[in-house]
Amino acid sequence: MREMEIHDYARQLLKAHGPKAIAEAAQNAIDLEQKGELELAKTWRHIEDAMKLMRGPHQS
């Protein structure tokens, strides 16, 4: 997946699922890693990171 596609997909997931989308992406990556699908897992980690950037810093 290209960088632009990853960010578009991450934006769509955040819009559809809200903050829990980040946890869902992380779980998808874990599941894929356990199945040996390392390239797909890497893509999900990238999507997770993109969503974290979009969310911005934590507020305290």
Side-chain angles (χ1 to χ4, degrees):
M1 230 182 226
R2 293 183 331 207
E3 192 70 25
M4 184 177 243
E5 292 171 320
I6 285 173
H7 283 272
D8 285 344
Y9 193 68
R11 192 174 304 107
Q12 290 172 17
L13 282 174
L14 276 175
K15 185 177 179 182
H17 299 277
K20 70 178 183 177
I22 296 170
E24 291 173 4
Q27 187 61 54
N28 285 341
I30 290 167
D31 293 344
L32 288 165
E33 287 166 350
Q34 290 174 346
K35 293 177 184 176
E37 299 284 345
L38 300 182
E39 282 303 310
L40 277 175
K42 184 177 173 183
T43 298
W44 276 104
R45 292 285 182 201
H46 202 156
I47 291 168
E48 176 189 3
D49 291 341
M51 286 190 284
K52 287 178 181 176
L53 286 173
M54 290 173 194
R55 178 190 64 192
H58 290 294
Q59 307 245 336
S60 57

